[in-house]
Amino acid sequence: MAEEKQNVEVEETAAAPEVKETEPKQDPQEFLENFDWEKYEEGIERVDDSKLKEFETLVEENFVDTADEEVVEGEVVHMTDREAIIDINAKSEGVISLNEFRYNPDLKVGDKVEVLIDIREDKTGQLVLSHRKARTIKAWERVNNAHDKEEIVTGFVKCRTKGGMIVDVFGIEAFLPGSQIDVKPIRDYDQYVGKTMEFKVVKINHEFKNVVVSHKALIEADIEEQKKEIIGQLEKGQVLEGVVKNITSYGVFIDLGGVDGLVHITDLSWSRINHPNEVVELDQKLNVVILDFDDNKSRIQLGLKQLEKHPWDALGDEIKVGDKVKGKVVVIADYGAFIEVAEGVEGLIHVSEMSWSTHLRSAQDFVNVGDEVEAVVLTLDREDRKMSLGIKQLTPDPWTDITTKYPVGSRHKGIVRNFTNFGVFVELEEGIDGLIYISDLSWTKKIKHPSEFVAVGDTLEVEVLELDVEGRKLSLGHKQTTENPWDKYSEEFAEGTIHKAAIAEVVDKGATINFNEDIVGFVPQRHMEKEDGKKLVKGEEAEFKIIEFNKDFKRVVASHTAIFREQEDRNVKAAAKKRAASKDEAAPTLGDANSQLQALKDKMEADKKK
């Protein structure tokens, strides 16, 4: 054992001189700090190949491989008045203008910043970096991530623009439409300028680099939760507090805390109103009652006036039929006017109750909106909440003594108020109208429509023909105020009389002739033939024979042909009579025959005697 141990020690001792002692490994940082670059560049100091290889290894292990358009994180190692020196562990350091850090006035040495390697080495060998471009690239990445993951982002409202606002999100200018600011309409956009708010990225246009954000989407999400909770608790008759969100001509939309309801204009006030803004204003807080809603509770009908007692219920018992009341005209319709006799209590004055006249006119002829009028209560229905009023009842009824004023046969003057196809309505006084039938307008003229004879507003003299007190009807006549000319014309134009006149008009079946102002005769076509065979023409004057006269139907028929035809007939009769007379003279008489017979007899007797 001792020998073996001794042999080993000898071998080790013998081998020791062959082992070479290696130099201690130099620290890379120390090597770089002590390396004389100027001498190396000028070729004064030569560096062993082994040391250069070692340097390249150190560079590969400790410095990043910089590529153009790449965003990396760097550290601020030095700052001047205008620039910041950024170390990104590259072969050289980069310089960035402090203008790119204007948003961060607290920048200091040691801060970590994101930079974009714009150019790895320019013509001077300088590394070109950009913090602004790096922010933009990173901002787009963050915006895209926020959009894809539906994350909430924070932005700064910079200014107003057409249709909305400009918001700074991660350094990108995003557009906030006016409709996406809030769930309720915005009237003052400037109140949001300079505020930091939360948004949701709703749209990104990569082609045009546009970003659209919404603050309303976040509110709606919260409201949707509140809405579900509120809808689940809704009940008819429930009273809730709300805020006036919008006012329209037909009603008011109320925000109930995430759920909108409509108060129709008729449910705002018991009194009649023209527009909801007479009762409420925007952003006003008020209590409303739930009147109804659909199965999904998406349409909620609200009421405001229902929170107060109905005015009809508060109407005193002192008002009864026959009482006189005063009120204001609130609405005028064709059929009448509505009068507000108390707040929320209205009565109707029908147009027929405004005047005793049976000739109905428009309600606007009597009253105007806003007029203060007095009327008499005609009917009162508290259950149906209806009241009818009358104005004419404040004056005496003119038909009370109608038989005294307008007895049958009496004559008066009246004003033409209206036409119908069958006659004319004449007003004798306010409330007393009479009808003149078209056949009672003239004795002689054939009138197709009353407008051919009179005009509205004309004054006519009339005679009372019939009087119906119960039916309040008065029958009048105008022609009865003058003598009937047909009585005297019955002799002047009797059948067979001959008159001279000119053809006035030629019609299909004949012609008309004017004998005088009253008498118009008709000549049938076959009676227009003249003696020479031709027919009379318009304007031609001739003699005519009356062949028909009817006083009751005011009909006169004349004939020109009858005049020369009658003469012809007389001539024919005379000639016939003459011929008959001549024949009578030539023919033998009975006496002659007897004489001849007697002579013959005497001759025969004489012959016998012989």
Side-chain angles (χ1 to χ4, degrees), residues 115-176:
V115 295
L116 174 72
I117 301 171
D118 217 351
I119 303 175
R120 283 188 296 176
E121 187 175 331
D122 62 5
K123 58 185 178 179
T124 62
Q126 180 67 50
L127 178 64
V128 181
L129 303 178
S130 173
H131 177 62
R132 182 181 292 110
K133 292 182 179 180
R135 285 189 69 209
T136 301
I137 293 174
K138 285 296 183 182
W140 275 102
E141 290 179 0
R142 294 174 67 184
V143 166
N144 283 315
N145 289 334
H147 177 260
D148 296 338
K149 297 179 181 180
E150 296 186 353
E151 295 177 347
I152 298 174
V153 298
T154 302
F156 177 76
V157 182
K158 295 176 65 175
C159 61
R160 283 190 61 177
T161 188
K162 185 178 180 180
M165 317 287 288
I166 298 298
V167 180
D168 187 328
V169 179
F170 304 139
I172 297 175
E173 288 190 347
F175 177 61
L176 172 63

Side-chain angles (χ1 to χ4, degrees), residues 364-380:
Q364 293 179 343
D365 295 336
F366 300 95
V367 293
N368 297 311
V369 174
D371 288 352
E372 295 285 342
V373 297
E374 186 178 23
V376 176
V377 179
L378 303 180
T379 63
L380 182 63

Side-chain angles (χ1 to χ4, degrees), residues 505-512 522-528 535:
E505 293 290 338
V506 177
V507 294
D508 292 340
K509 295 183 178 180
T512 59
F522 178 72
V523 182
Q525 198 171 41
R526 67 179 183 276
H527 290 278
M528 294 175 63
K535 290 194 175 183

Side-chain angles (χ1 to χ4, degrees), residues 526-550:
R526 67 179 183 276
H527 290 278
M528 294 175 63
E529 186 177 344
K530 295 187 292 184
E531 193 171 1
D532 58 3
K534 297 181 180 179
K535 290 194 175 183
L536 294 169
V537 296
K538 182 177 180 180
E540 188 173 356
E541 192 174 54
E543 288 186 338
F544 297 90
K545 182 179 181 181
I546 306 300
I547 58 178
E548 183 183 349
F549 182 89
N550 191 315

Side-chain angles (χ1 to χ4, degrees), residues 322-327 339 349 373-377 389-391 394:
D323 287 351
K324 295 180 181 180
V325 293
K326 291 184 178 181
I339 312 298
I349 303 179
V373 297
E374 186 178 23
V376 176
V377 179
L389 306 172
I391 295 178
L394 296 173

Side-chain angles (χ1 to χ4, degrees), residues 421-424 436-450 465 475-480 552 554:
N421 291 328
F422 53 83
V424 180
I436 303 176
Y437 283 99
I438 197 169
S439 59
D440 289 320
L441 286 173
S442 173
W443 289 111
T444 57
K445 293 182 180 179
K446 293 183 178 180
I447 303 170
K448 295 181 179 179
H449 192 273
L465 304 181
S475 179
L476 306 174
H478 172 66
K479 71 181 184 180
Q480 287 79 3
D552 296 331
K554 302 173 185 177

Side-chain angles (χ1 to χ4, degrees), residues 446-466:
K446 293 183 178 180
I447 303 170
K448 295 181 179 179
H449 192 273
S451 59
E452 300 173 6
F453 187 79
V454 292
V456 174
D458 287 354
T459 300
L460 279 183
E461 187 175 0
V462 296
E463 181 177 315
V464 179
L465 304 181
E466 293 180 15

Side-chain angles (χ1 to χ4, degrees), residues 4-19:
E4 293 177 2
K5 186 176 183 179
Q6 189 175 359
N7 292 333
V8 172
E9 290 176 356
V10 173
E11 291 176 1
E12 290 178 356
T13 303
E18 296 179 3
V19 177

